Amino acid sequence: MWRCGAWTSPEYKKVMSACHQRAADRLVQGAIYNGGLYVKLGQGLCAFNHLLPPEYISTLRVLEDQALKRGYGEVDELFLEDFKATADALFREFNYQPMAAASLAQVHKARLQDGTLVAVKVQYIDLRDRFDGDIRTLELLLRIVEFMHPSFGFSWVLKDLKETLAQELDFENEGRNAERCARDLHHFPYVVVPKVHWDKCSKRVLTADYCEGCKINNVESIREQGLDLKDTADKLIQMFAEQIFYTGFIHADPHPGNVLVRRGPDGKAQLVLLDHGLYEFLSERDRSALCKLWRAIILRDDAAMRACSAELGVKDYFLFCEILMQRPIHMGQLRLANILTWEETLYMQAMAQHHFDRIMQVLKDLPRPMLLVFRNINTVRSINIALGAPVDRYFVMGKSAVKGWSRIAGHRSSGIRSSSLFCWLRVKWESLKFEIALRKEMFSMRLMASLIRFLAYVGFLSESEQIYEYFQA
């Protein structure tokens, strides 16, 4: 038995660290052994770097691009089935040693007959046969857990996402998603979506331009390229905020292995967006409500937070807002720090432990596409943290939300209101109002802090813990 307070001792921390490491190693072994959906689940856990012990995060990262690898024979067998030719016959050059391997496929470097360097994504040959069985196994396991712990009912999530996950098995659909994403983000010169070569594609093979780059959470490699971490994080957040708040066609699997960073023609960070198999579409109505909600949270507008949450079908609005932000929200404090304090981390862990029923109800109340939107938002949050949180993610997304809502509202209008000039003016006006409102609130809070300091200095107020906490906020 540990004595009271012994959990803070170095010995206890060492024992717990070893325990977490063993559990993480077993998770990776199980995911790689079973492949497919199990690897994808492990990838999803990596995004919870603010809640899970570091041993899990560092160990599970191998699942992002270095998971299960298959032999040469299996690759040729699949090519013969789909193209009536082996891989080395179809391409001028084909490297059978995969350069990356993840949940559904492994990626090979190759060269087309005209000399173009390409990346060839080859699906695991038995994946389609196993998919339905894996889904049924996971559903059974979730039902068993739900029977033992009734409040832990996640089987409905898997049921709702089953068809969406199945779309990932169709690489032709992934190619179409990639082209749509490229069109949606063409006005961002720093975003690169590799060109698809359709004559070398099938339902199980996807061939696209080969793009160099390092994983976006590889801080050392980004710095070695002479790139700025703040610029990199800012571009990442703006790219996905554009999808969430405006286009509605949202990359639902943006883990670090799917976003590469390289030096662009302007000498600054350029982002290469990969793996377009899993996308979610958020309706214009839901995007508009989400835009307004994000703005309301940033400005601490309680009435608007309640109203916008209701538009998305959620009654427990404050809990929903904290889930969306993945941090506590203090109504008297405008600043939302990107890195949680120890106390805030404990708060979030306690919320997950003691209010699980309420969290589940919020998730059930939401439009189903929002579940994968949460995945995107949380993954981007975790990448920003991995880069050292150089950017105020909440504020950058807040500006994107205001801009997105303005454009959506402008496109809804008719006549002169639908002109590009009117839309541009509306975006600028709403963005300006947001900036002014935010700065006004910040000025008001700083003025109040200065007044309290002055009153404490002249002796009208005594220094206290509450006053110190106010100054910290």
Side-chain angles (χ1 to χ4, degrees), residues 138-192:
L138 288 172
E139 285 178 334
L140 176 62
L141 291 172
L142 287 171
R143 286 197 187 104
I144 291 172
V145 172
E146 193 171 344
F147 175 76
M148 298 171 65
H149 304 281
S151 62
F152 195 86
F154 272 108
S155 57
W156 63 273
V157 176
L158 188 61
K159 182 179 179 181
D160 286 345
L161 296 181
K162 190 183 338 185
E163 290 185 11
T164 305
L165 293 172
Q167 292 176 13
E168 278 199 278
L169 303 183
D170 183 353
F171 285 0
E172 290 177 346
N173 181 65
E174 178 174 344
R176 291 190 291 270
N177 287 346
E179 291 185 335
R180 179 172 175 179
C181 174
R183 291 194 300 270
D184 285 349
L185 302 179
H186 75 278
H187 54 290
F188 289 156
Y190 55 81
V191 177
V192 175

Side-chain angles (χ1 to χ4, degrees), residues 18-76:
C19 178
H20 291 319
Q21 188 60 57
R22 286 195 303 274
D25 289 338
R26 288 170 183 168
L27 281 173
V28 169
Q29 290 168 9
I32 291 177
Y33 179 79
N34 290 286
L37 290 174
Y38 300 92
V39 172
K40 190 161 290 294
L41 290 172
Q43 292 172 347
L45 289 175
C46 291
F48 292 92
N49 57 358
H50 60 319
L51 295 177
L52 290 176
E55 293 84 0
Y56 288 91
I57 306 304
S58 59
T59 305
L60 289 168
R61 277 185 182 145
V62 71
L63 299 176
E64 291 171 353
D65 57 5
Q66 297 297 322
L68 184 64
K69 295 183 180 180
R70 301 291 181 88
Y72 300 181
E74 180 178 308
V75 173
D76 273 342

Side-chain angles (χ1 to χ4, degrees), residues 32 59 87 110 133 159 171 231 315 340 349 364 366-367 402:
I32 291 177
T59 305
K159 182 179 179 181
F171 285 0
D231 177 58
K315 294 180 181 178
L340 300 185
Q349 291 173 343
K364 288 179 180 178
L366 283 168
V402 171

Side-chain angles (χ1 to χ4, degrees), residues 122-146:
V122 183
Q123 190 174 117
Y124 300 128
I125 198 167
D126 61 343
L127 189 65
R128 287 170 175 265
D129 296 332
R130 294 174 45 213
F131 180 80
D132 288 338
D134 286 346
I135 287 287
R136 284 194 295 271
T137 300
L138 288 172
E139 285 178 334
L140 176 62
L141 291 172
L142 287 171
R143 286 197 187 104
I144 291 172
V145 172
E146 193 171 344

